[in-house]
Every structure is written in structure tokens, then in C-alpha cells.
């Protein structure tokens, strides 16, 4: 078996799942964000895939497989050839036809539906595939967590009406709960932003783990949970501050750029400041105003400006492009577009940069001294805010997005003229939904949640093998005979066994078994020779049992069955 385990932690791997997948011989990197799945890695991915497949089928979806290469013309019809940005890998074939590698398949499936589904009698229809996707991610990292090439399950539903589409969505919502429960993951469904997929309504499924790239906000009082990209901020009704309006004044603040430093110098609070953050918004330079102690939420900004790409600009880049006195920026007479968080417009007597080196302004009044081009909810929610649903207390936590479901409505069917005949013979646009799961990312997420200092501890349903059988007596005919026999007996009982009959020291066999995280370890060694007994160890709690060889196959099979029963949907 190709199972190249290593002792050293690879320096390129920052998160534990990436480290352990490399060390355990699950994956090897070909190039940035692109990996070969070795036999063990592929087996784990297939385990996830199989659970997904069973639950999709149960929910009434049918499996198909669409092409990876997609013609640009379809993407022009939906409008996404322009909108999708640099994550879409585009190329031209020998006939000068523009194409792309599929990052997702709304266009292809909508094209299929408009050709093959004519009547309301064929609806509802749900279709799915498990396939390799390509997204030219700006920062591929963390191994299987954010690759450029990765395995995704994507499903699509077609319905006659909003109401029917809502039912399809609910079915998928339930199916996703079943899937992640069966995978043994600690997860949470949260309200989410709809991103470039578009549509009106969506939930993300988040595996709770500190290394997650997403931040979630969860209400401690009601059932509200959302991605911070989406979590709305409810402003209190009344003005935040009262008191007399001051006149604007310029003050010298030599060498002071940071809000905290200027605040201390002026004996003010960061909350008295208007912070001016500069973003590149699709090539345009935009100043975003938030209160001094707040952070801009880039996805909210992207949505407000209907932009494709938004990135916080670093000081050098801003200076290069605008020649503005970075560090001393403020909204008054700033020669670039200014947008403001809603809260800024409620502030009084503020401090901000003067757009002149070494100077700030005090007594600034939004509305009186400047008027932004646009205002909206642009800041990131914090644990000090209150729940947008019930005003209760909130807590923030990190999550890894493993699934995302969307109500698309008629966005794609209208753009691509995909219609069916309703029961009165009228042409109507399909009401659609789409539903993704990052199959390869689930493996990484499971490891983030289930490991110790020795290696992976796979939840049984995702383990590439259920049992690892160690032969510790390769030179003993007795031991080897017994181990071979047990290997066959377990396989005959339907148990998935990895047989370690390598000529290695016991110590390294134990280490490797712990590293690759197989839930049950069965050892045939000296105790067999002496007492006819074998040892069974549970990777999760380290509990060890010694049983008679004659009973071993049945006992192990029973343990696997009992453990598996814990992971019901
Ligand atoms: P993210 O915010 O992490 O980039 P996304 O919103 O772009 O994800 P979707 O378009 O909803 O992702 O894709 C469906 C699922 O595919 C995601 O929920 C995630 O689990 C998985 N996925 C997306 N991008 C990647 C990637 N680069 N590598 C691995 N899995 C991914
Ligand atoms: Mg993405």
C-alpha cells in the first residue's frame, strides 16, 4: 500500500488537518492548492461522498455528472462571465472558443433543465453530482480546507412555485442535518450571505473549530445564528450621543496615525473617532467610514456597492494610487468615493484625519461637514451588540463552512430563459435552489475537530478503515498465521480492515496507527503466543481489552457495529 507517513511536521502546513493529512500520507501537493489524494485520503473522501449520496437519494435527488469544462456563452447568458471575477479559470481552445473550468454548475444545469424539462408534471426535480471543482482562489491554504481544486457535491432543485421551492429547500436543510450528524461532526446551521451564487436566502453549515475561516454569531437566548458577513446590526432608536455641537477645529497630531494613539493624545475615546479605511473595490479606491472602535465587514461593503471584489488596501498601495496622506485620512474634502456605516451618521462632535500630514480634525459633524455618497450597515457585529432577532446577548465563535444551501428563485431561469408549461399551459420560469457540500473539506474539518497530539481520531463513519490490524510477529509462524486468519475473518464479517504486516518495529506501527486515526486497533503479538489472546484498543479513549483469539473477530465486529450505531441521523 502507498502509505508514506512521516515524523516531521511539514513547515508549509499551518493548521493541524493539513499537517496530519500530509504526515499520515493522505495527500501530496502537486502545485498551489492542488493535491493528489493518496489511497487513504481517497478512502476518507469516498466515505463522506457515500453518506452524502445516500442522504441525497433519500431526499429524492438523482445523481448525474456534468462536465468540468463549460462554454463561456452559457456564463454570458447568466451574466456571470463578467461578475464572477478571477476565481473563474478561463481559457480559449484551439477554435478560439472561450471556456472555463466549472467552479459551480448553475449555468450547465439550467441549460439542461430548459432542454429536458417542459412540463409542470416533471416537477419537482432535484439533481446532484459529486465532482471536482476548480476555483482559482486568491489564497489557497490549509490543505484540503481551501484548495483550488477540490471535491464538491452540488445539487440543484427545480420547482413550479416559490412555495414548492421552499419545500425543496427544507428537504435539503433536513438532509444536510442528517449528513453532518452521520459524519459525527459538531456543527451549526447559520444564516448566510448569498455571495456570487446569488439568490435571496441561504444557510451555511458550519463545523465549529477554532481554525475556521468564518466567524459566526450565535444568540444565547433564541435560535438566531448567522455568519458575521450576514448578521445585521440593529441601531438603537435614539441618537447615540447628545450635547452641544462644536465647531470644527484642526489640531496638530505629530507622527500619530493610529486611532488609539491620537485618542490618548486628545484625551478622547476611540469611539469618538471616525475611522477612514481604504478599500479597492473592483479597481476603484473607496474610503469606508466606521466608528473608531469598529471594524468594516468587507462582504457587507461588497453587497452595498454591488461589487465583485473588495479588498482592504495597504498603506503603500493607497499612497501609490492616490498620493493621499495615508494615516491622516478623513471624510472631509477627500477626493475619492466615501461610504459610511450607518452608525457614523448618528455620531456627534467627532475626530477624524484632516487629509493633511500630522493633522486631525475635532468637532466634526457628519451631515454638516460631509455627506457620504452612500450609507448602510457596513460594520462587523461584535459580542457587545444585541441579537437582531430578540435583542438577547450574543457570542462569537469560529466555524469551517462545509455546506451552503441557497434559494435561488428565478435568477438563473429568467436570465437563461428556462421555462416550463404550468397546469394552465402558461410558460413559467423554474424556481430554483442550489445546495453545495465541500466533500474534501469535510475530511479536513473532521480532523480539525477530532485529533490529539498523536494524530487523527476519525469519527468511525469517516475513517478510511474501521480497524487496523497489527501483526507484531512477522518472524513467528504462529502469530502471522493468527493475524492472517483474523484479517480474513474480519473481512468476511464486512469489517473494513487495514492490515499492517510491514516489517517495522512495533513502536512505529503503533505510532502510525495513532497518526492515521483508525478507530480500532487490533494487535496480534506476544500475548497471542503466550496466552492465545489478542489486544483491541479504542483510538478515541485509549481503552484496551484483551480477548481470546477465537472470539476476536466477533468481538471486534460487535464493537464496530455498536460504535457505528452512535452516528445515526
Ligand atoms: P468559502 O466562503 O469558504 O470560499 P463559498 O461560499 O465560496 O465558500 P460555495 O460556493 O457555497 O462556497 O461552495 C459550496 C461548498 O464548497 C462550501 O460550503 C465549501 O464547503 C466548499 N468549498 C468552497 N470553496 C472551497 C475550496 N476552495 N476548497 C475546498 N472546499 C471549498
Ligand atoms: Mg469561496
Amino acid at each position: 500500500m502507498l502509505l508514506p507517513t512521516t515524523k516531521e511536521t511539514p513547515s508549509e502546513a499551518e493548521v493541524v488537518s493539513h499537517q496530519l493529512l500530509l504526515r499520515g500520507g493522505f495527500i501530496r501537493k502537486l502545485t498551489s492548492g492542488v493535491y493528489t489524494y493518496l489511497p487513504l485520503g481517497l478512502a476518507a473522501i469516498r466515505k463522506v461522498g457515500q453518506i452524502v449520496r445516500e442522504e441525497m437519494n433519500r431526499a429524492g435527488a438523482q445523481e448525474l455528472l456534468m462536465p468540468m469544462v463549460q462554454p463561456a456563452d452559457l456564463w454570458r447568458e447568466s451574466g456571470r462571465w463578467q461578475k464572477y471575477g478571477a476565481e473563474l479559470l478561463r481559457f480559449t481552445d484551439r477554435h478560439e472558443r472561450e471556456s472555463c473550468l466549472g467552479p459551480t454548475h448553475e449555468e450547465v444545469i439550467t441549460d439542461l433543465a430548459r432542454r429536458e424539462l417542459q412540463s409542470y408534471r416533471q416537477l419537482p426535480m432535484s439533481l446532484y453530482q459529486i465532482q471536482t471543482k476548480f476555483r482559482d482562489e486568491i489564497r489557497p491554504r490549509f490543505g484540503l480546507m481551501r484548495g483550488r481544486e477540490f471535491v464538491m457535491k452540488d445539487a440543484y432543485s427545480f420547482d413550479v412555485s416559490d412555495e414548492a421551492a421552499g419545500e425543496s429547500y427544507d428537504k435539503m436543510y433536513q438532509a444536510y442535518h442528517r449528513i453532518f450528524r452521520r459524519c459525527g461532526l459538531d456543527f451549526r446551521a447559520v444564516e448566510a450571505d448569498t455571495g456570487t451564487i446569488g439568490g435571496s436566502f441561504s444557510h451555511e453549515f458550519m463545523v465549529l473549530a477554532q481554525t475556521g475561516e468564518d466567524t459566526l454569531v450565535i444568540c444565547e437566548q433564541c435560535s438566531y445564528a448567522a455568519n458575521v458577513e450576514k448578521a445585521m446590526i440593529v441601531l438603537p432608536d435614539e441618537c447615540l450621543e447628545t450635547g452641544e455641537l462644536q465647531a470644527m477645529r484642526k489640531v496638530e497630531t505629530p507622527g500619530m496615525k493610529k486611532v488609539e494613539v491620537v485618542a490618548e493624545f486628545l484625551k478622547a475615546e476611540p469611539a469618538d473617532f471616525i475611522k477612514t479605511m481604504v478599500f479597492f473595490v473592483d479597481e476603484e479606491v473607496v474610503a469606508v467610514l466606521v466608528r473608531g472602535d469598529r471594524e468594516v465587514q468587507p462582504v457587507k461593503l461588497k453587497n452595498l456597492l454591488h461589487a465583485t471584489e473588495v479588498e482592504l488596501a495597504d498603506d503603500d498601495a493607497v499612497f501609490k494610487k492616490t498620493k493621499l496622506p495615508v494615516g491622516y485620512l478623513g471624510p472631509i474634502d477627500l477626493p475619492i468615493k466615501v461610504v459610511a456605516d450607518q452608525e457614523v451618521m448618528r455620531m456627534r462632535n467627532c475626530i477624524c484625519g484632516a487629509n493633511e500630514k500630522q493633522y486631525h480634525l475635532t468637532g466634526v459633524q457628519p451631515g454638516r461637514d460631509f455627506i457620504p455618497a452612500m450609507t448602510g450597515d457596513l460594520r462587523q457585529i461584535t459580542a457587545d451588540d444585541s441579537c437582531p432577532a430578540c435583542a438577547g446577548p450574543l457570542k462569537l465563535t469560529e466555524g469551517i463552512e462545509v455546506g451552503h444551501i441557497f434559494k435561488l428563485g428565478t435568477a438563473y431561469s429568467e436570465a437563461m430563459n428556462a421555462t416550463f408549461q404550468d397546469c394552465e399551459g402558461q410558460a413559467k420560469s423554474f424556481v430554483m435552489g442550489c445546495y453545495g457540500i465541500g466533500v474534501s473539506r469535510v475530511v479536513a474539518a473532521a480532523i480539525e475537530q477530532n485529533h490529539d497530539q498523536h494524530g487523527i481520531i476519525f469519527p468511525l463513519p469517516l475513517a478510511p478503515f474501521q480497524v487496523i490490524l497489527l501483526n507484531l510477529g512477522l518472524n513467528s509462524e504462529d502469530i502471522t498465521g493468527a493475524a492472517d486468519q483474523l484479517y480474513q475473518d474480519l473481512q468476511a464479517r464486512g469489517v473494513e480492515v487495514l492490515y499492517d504486516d510491514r516489517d517495522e518495529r512495533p513502536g512505529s506501527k503503533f505510532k502510525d496507527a495513532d497518526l492515521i486515526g483508525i478507530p480500532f486497533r487490533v494487535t496480534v503479538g506476544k500475548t497471542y503466543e503466550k496466552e492465545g489472546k489478542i489486544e483491541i484498543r479504542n483510538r478515541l479513549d485509549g481503552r484496551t481489552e484483551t480477548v481470546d483469539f477465537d472470539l476476536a473477530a466477533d468481538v471486534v465486529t460487535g464493537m464496530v457495529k455498536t460504535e457505528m450505531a452512535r452516528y445515526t441521523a
Side-chain angles (χ1 to χ4, degrees):
M1 182 176 194
L2 181 61
L3 209 178
T5 55
T6 58
K7 284 200 192 70
E8 298 75 33
T9 300
S11 58
E12 87 240 38
E14 296 167 63
V15 297
V16 72
S17 63
H18 190 190
Q19 292 166 359
L20 292 175
L21 284 168
L22 286 170
R23 284 191 52 209
F26 290 77
I27 59 171
R28 285 296 178 261
K29 177 167 135 179
L30 178 63
T31 181
S32 171
V34 178
Y35 291 87
T36 295
Y37 310 125
L38 302 189
L40 221 49
L42 182 61
I45 289 173
R46 289 235 169 103
K47 282 287 176 81
V48 179
Q50 188 52 27
I51 292 172
V52 168
R53 191 170 271 129
E54 285 170 19
E55 293 303 332
M56 284 296 109
N57 294 347
R58 189 200 299 269
Q62 301 161 70
E63 187 169 3
L64 48 53
L65 187 56
M66 290 179 269
M68 235 191 121
V69 172
Q70 308 183 8
D73 285 343
L74 272 186
W75 285 71
R76 291 203 175 90
E77 280 191 58
S78 71
R80 284 207 294 186
W81 190 251
Q82 303 300 332
K83 247 171 77 179
Y84 208 90
E87 265 186 33
L88 189 63
L89 184 64
R90 301 154 207 249
F91 57 94
T92 307
D93 68 15
R94 64 165 83 195
H95 302 294
E96 299 292 313
R97 281 183 295 238
E98 288 179 289
S99 307
C100 60
L101 281 189
T104 174
H105 279 66
E106 284 76 17
E107 282 78 2
V108 177
I109 198 96
T110 307
D111 181 59
L112 184 75
R114 72 183 167 185
R115 291 168 194 272
E116 307 303 334
L117 303 175
Q118 279 87 37
S119 158
Y120 72 95
R121 280 189 230 98
Q122 294 168 281
L123 304 178
M125 177 76 76
S126 289
L127 300 163
Y128 76 96
Q129 64 177 344
I130 296 177
Q131 187 215 32
T132 300
K133 296 282 187 278
F134 193 93
R135 295 182 179 183
D136 203 354
E137 296 276 352
I138 186 165
R139 271 176 225 100
R141 55 181 185 164
F142 302 162
L144 295 192
M145 206 100 97
R146 184 169 299 281
R148 293 196 300 154
E149 200 177 288
F150 58 97
V151 182
M152 197 203 285
K153 183 284 298 183
D154 43 328
Y156 305 88
S157 62
F158 296 87
D159 277 286
V160 295
S161 65
D162 275 340
E163 198 193 352
E167 282 170 29
S168 296
Y169 185 91
D170 291 344
K171 253 192 198 161
M172 285 292 173
Y173 185 85
Q174 299 307 333
Y176 272 49
H177 275 88
R178 298 178 64 91
I179 288 168
F180 297 122
R181 276 202 292 265
R182 284 186 58 188
C183 288
L185 297 168
D186 182 12
F187 70 97
R188 185 90 200 224
V190 303
E191 290 180 21
D193 178 63
T194 50
T196 40
I197 302 277
S200 50
F201 189 78
S202 84
H203 283 94
E204 285 164 340
F205 288 77
M206 295 285 185
V207 165
L208 306 179
Q210 276 169 6
T211 43
E213 294 181 279
D214 285 278
T215 308
L216 323 177
V217 53
I218 296 174
C219 180
E220 304 202 85
Q221 195 168 285
C222 74
S223 63
Y224 179 83
N227 193 311
V228 292
E229 296 172 355
K230 164 87 180 178
M232 238 181 26
I233 286 161
V234 182
L235 280 185
D237 287 337
E238 73 286 0
C239 253
L240 293 180
E241 285 173 40
T242 51
E244 215 173 298
L245 285 188
Q246 299 165 2
M248 197 160 72
R249 219 161 52 84
K250 196 157 109 179
V251 292
E252 200 174 355
T253 50
M256 298 175 205
K257 294 183 175 183
K258 287 222 157 4
V259 165
E260 293 72 26
V261 180
V262 185
E264 208 184 312
F265 178 69
L266 295 178
K267 299 197 172 36
E269 295 297 325
D272 300 327
F273 280 68
I274 297 172
K275 194 159 67 171
T276 305
M277 307 292 289
V278 181
F279 283 78
F280 291 141
V281 179
D282 298 339
E283 315 291 296
E284 195 188 359
V285 187
V286 177
V288 185
L289 311 179
V290 283
R291 208 173 83 179
D293 56 341
R294 308 294 199 192
E295 298 304 329
V296 178
Q297 168 41 248
V299 173
K300 288 183 175 177
L301 177 64
K302 184 166 138 182
N303 291 340
L304 183 76
L305 299 178
H306 301 289
T308 303
E309 266 166 85
V310 157
E311 203 178 4
L312 182 63
D314 68 56
D315 288 0
D316 291 347
V318 175
F319 183 74
K320 242 189 179 158
K321 210 152 173 170
T322 62
K323 301 283 176 281
L324 289 168
V326 182
Y328 300 93
L329 298 187
I332 298 167
D333 300 328
L334 191 63
I336 57 177
K337 183 179 197 169
V338 175
V339 300
D341 177 52
Q342 53 185 3
E343 185 183 35
V344 167
M345 304 314 287
R346 300 271 191 93
M347 293 169 67
R348 293 161 72 89
N349 300 327
C350 322
I351 307 166
C352 64
N355 295 322
E356 189 180 325
K357 268 196 176 157
Q358 327 288 14
Y359 286 98
H360 277 78
L361 299 172
T362 62
V364 171
Q365 190 50 45
R368 180 191 73 184
D369 301 327
F370 70 91
I371 295 173
M374 264 174 135
T375 60
D377 176 7
L378 289 178
R379 78 165 168 91
Q380 174 123 338
I381 200 162
T382 68
D384 295 331
D385 288 300
S386 47
C387 171
C390 76
L394 294 174
K395 74 168 189 239
L396 296 188
T397 177
E398 274 73 48
I400 301 168
E401 180 195 327
V402 287
H404 200 169
I405 61 177
F406 299 81
K407 278 186 190 167
L408 292 173
T410 53
Y412 288 87
S413 49
E414 272 178 24
M416 295 180 64
N417 198 19
T419 60
F420 64 96
Q421 285 207 332
D422 73 6
C423 56
E424 280 147 13
Q426 299 285 322
K428 277 178 80 179
S429 299
F430 294 105
V431 185
M432 293 171 55
C434 76
Y435 317 92
I437 289 182
V439 173
S440 45
R441 186 184 280 182
V442 166
V443 174
I447 296 171
E448 291 296 329
Q449 226 169 42
N450 301 281
H451 64 268
D452 63 13
Q453 71 271 31
H454 305 295
I456 302 170
I457 308 173
F458 272 114
L460 186 59
L462 303 191
F465 291 89
Q466 298 166 328
V467 172
I468 183 164
L469 172 63
L470 308 187
N471 176 350
L472 298 190
L474 280 175
N475 300 326
S476 147
E477 249 172 56
D478 249 18
I479 293 177
T480 298
D484 286 355
Q485 183 64 48
L486 189 51
Y487 181 48
Q488 279 169 24
D489 291 349
L490 285 170
Q491 282 188 311
R493 285 164 174 75
V495 176
E496 299 158 5
V497 201
L498 176 61
Y499 186 17
D500 187 351
D501 59 354
R502 295 175 302 170
D503 187 10
E504 295 276 348
R505 285 176 302 107
S508 66
K509 290 194 178 197
F510 290 138
K511 279 220 168 69
D512 277 352
D514 277 353
L515 175 63
I516 65 177
I518 308 298
F520 294 101
R521 188 186 80 192
V522 178
T523 309
V524 188
K526 290 236 166 63
T527 341
Y528 175 74
E529 248 178 350
K530 278 190 232 145
E531 306 165 35
K533 288 182 190 293
I534 59 104
E535 187 197 89
I536 309 167
R537 180 171 173 272
N538 187 323
R539 173 70 180 92
L540 179 61
D541 54 21
R543 259 200 319 211
T544 305
E545 266 179 62
T546 326
V547 299
D548 284 338
F549 178 79
D550 295 342
L551 301 174
D554 285 334
V555 171
V556 172
T557 307
M559 283 178 168
V560 168
K561 286 220 169 99
T562 310
E563 174 68 10
M564 202 63 186
R566 286 182 41 210
Y567 299 92
T568 49

